[in-house]
Amino acid sequence: MIWTISDLHLSHARPKPMDVFGNRWKNHPERIAAAWRSRVADDDTVLIAGDVSWAMKLNDALVDLQWIDALPGRKVISRGNHDYWWSSDRTRRVRRSLPPSIAIVEAEALDIGSAVVCGTRGWTAPETPGFQESNDRAYFERELGRLDTALAAAAKLAAGRKPIIVMIHFPPFISGRPTAFAGRIAAAGAAACIYGHLHRPEDWGSATQGMVDGVFYQLTACDYLGFGPVAVRGIAG
């Protein structure tokens, strides 16, 4: 099985209680762990599309990564906008420090057996209200390039024989309209795309999910999922 959940927002080294964002977050790590252990087998894979830890430094984030490592299954993590402990220039150091059951994807792809996974963070798209040309454009263009690199690597690994799953933190649709990220994902022939970042119920209701242009999109923010991993949809197995 391939499972998914994102936006864990852990903070074991320097606790930051998440229930300040609403009662639904009360004791959320314990609830995630309980649901995870009840669903995920040791030979399953869990995809986590960003915002893993509130930590600012890798040493603090390692406490959260070790917590994830202790849970069943193999885990693949991509970066979110709050993963300050993992900047692009620290990716090699992060990879060297990872616990045994965790792998990362950053503008790259990984063969997980029954599928190929690729990912990048994504960014606010120009269609997004509040997009600031002077601040956001460079990040947007850089993440588009990283997605292109990830998709090319995935196509090479998949070789037309395995489905491609894209992990991206920022939603690839705005108000139901595809962004350039969604266009690239569809053009690459990906089977599925998981994303997070959305935490308001009003955003959940308008989030694009299901099959669009041959890709199955799935919102995986942990509070939306009820704090438990769910199966990745749109692929066989």
Side-chain angles (χ1 to χ4, degrees):
M1 286 284 293
I2 304 175
W3 302 86
T4 182
I5 186 171
S6 67
D7 300 86
L8 304 185
H9 288 292
L10 301 172
S11 59
H12 289 95
R14 301 176 186 272
K16 181 176 180 177
M18 285 292 290
D19 55 7
V20 298
F21 298 106
N23 286 334
R24 67 177 180 273
W25 284 95
K26 190 173 180 62
N27 299 320
H28 83 284
E30 293 82 0
R31 293 159 62 195
I32 291 170
W36 191 310
R37 291 191 177 102
S38 72
R39 300 172 191 177
V40 179
D42 287 338
D43 57 353
D44 290 346
T45 300
V46 183
L47 309 181
I48 307 173
D51 280 4
V52 172
S53 172
W54 282 114
M56 301 296 291
K57 298 179 180 179
L58 177 56
N59 284 344
D60 287 342
L62 285 175
V63 182
D64 296 325
L65 294 173
Q66 289 159 358
W67 182 89
I68 294 170
D69 179 57
L71 295 171
R74 179 188 189 187
K75 302 89 181 178
V76 181
I77 296 174
S78 61
R79 191 157 57 108
N81 61 304
H82 287 297
D83 288 316
Y84 297 113
W85 55 276
W86 173 11
S87 58
S88 57
D89 60 350
R90 295 179 192 162
T91 295
R92 290 184 180 179
R93 184 185 170 206
V94 170
R95 185 172 282 112
R96 290 195 302 266
S97 303
L98 290 172
S101 71
I102 300 177
I104 58 174
V105 287
E106 167 78 340
E108 59 193 338
L110 180 68
D111 189 333
I112 61 171
S114 60
V116 170
V117 176
C118 70
T120 192
R121 177 181 57 186
W123 196 255
T124 301
E127 301 91 335
T128 308
F131 180 88
Q132 297 182 351
E133 189 71 27
S134 60
N135 294 328
D136 292 320
R137 174 62 67 175
Y139 289 106
F140 170 73
E141 296 291 347
R142 187 179 304 156
E143 286 297 318
L144 269 182
R146 287 174 174 163
L147 177 61
D148 287 339
T149 300
L151 290 168
K156 185 175 181 179
L157 282 177
R161 297 189 297 270
K162 295 183 179 183
I164 295 172
I165 304 171
V166 179
M167 301 170 65
I168 190 168
H169 183 66
F170 284 81
F173 288 79
I174 302 297
S175 300
R177 298 188 300 274
T179 67
F181 293 107
R184 300 289 220 283
I185 292 166
C193 174
I194 61 172
Y195 66 93
H197 191 63
L198 301 180
H199 296 295
R200 301 185 305 174
E202 56 266 36
D203 292 331
W204 300 341
S206 60
T208 295
Q209 299 199 75
M211 192 69 73
V212 180
D213 294 332
V215 183
F216 196 99
Y217 291 90
Q218 194 170 356
L219 172 60
T220 64
C222 72
D223 48 336
Y224 170 75
L225 298 182
F227 302 97
V230 298
V232 172
R233 299 179 63 188
I235 60 171

